[in-house]
Amino acid sequence: MYDIETLASCFTYSAINIDTQEVVQYVIHKDRDDSVAFLEHLDQDCKGQIGFNNVGFDYPVIHKILII
């Protein structure tokens, strides 16, 4: 399960693995850039995603990050 938050200059991603209860958090901001780790997480750790407003907002934002 995951959720993102977006501001003009900040992106955050928080997720919990429902099988292991492991929590991860990534921030993309001028003072902290977890973008490489975030992309690795999506590529290696995600088998699927469950989120609130996933289709209408969260995934389209993530997709835009992936194609940049």
Side-chain angles (χ1 to χ4, degrees), residues 25-43:
Q25 296 178 313
Y26 302 100
V27 176
I28 301 173
H29 182 267
K30 66 180 177 121
D31 295 330
R32 175 177 165 183
D33 186 0
D34 298 333
S35 57
V36 172
F38 172 59
L39 295 173
E40 288 174 355
H41 164 75
L42 293 177
D43 183 50

Side-chain angles (χ1 to χ4, degrees), residues 16-31:
I16 184 168
N17 182 313
I18 59 175
D19 293 326
T20 66
Q21 301 300 303
E22 176 189 10
V23 174
V24 294
Q25 296 178 313
Y26 302 100
V27 176
I28 301 173
H29 182 267
K30 66 180 177 121
D31 295 330

Side-chain angles (χ1 to χ4, degrees), residues 3 12 14 38 41 46 49 51 57-58 62 68:
D3 191 36
T12 65
S14 300
F38 172 59
H41 164 75
C46 288
Q49 294 181 310
F57 182 74
D58 291 3
I62 290 173
I68 291 178

Side-chain angles (χ1 to χ4, degrees), residues 42-53:
L42 293 177
D43 183 50
Q44 298 171 8
D45 300 329
C46 288
K47 305 290 186 264
Q49 294 181 310
I50 300 168
F52 178 76
N53 200 15

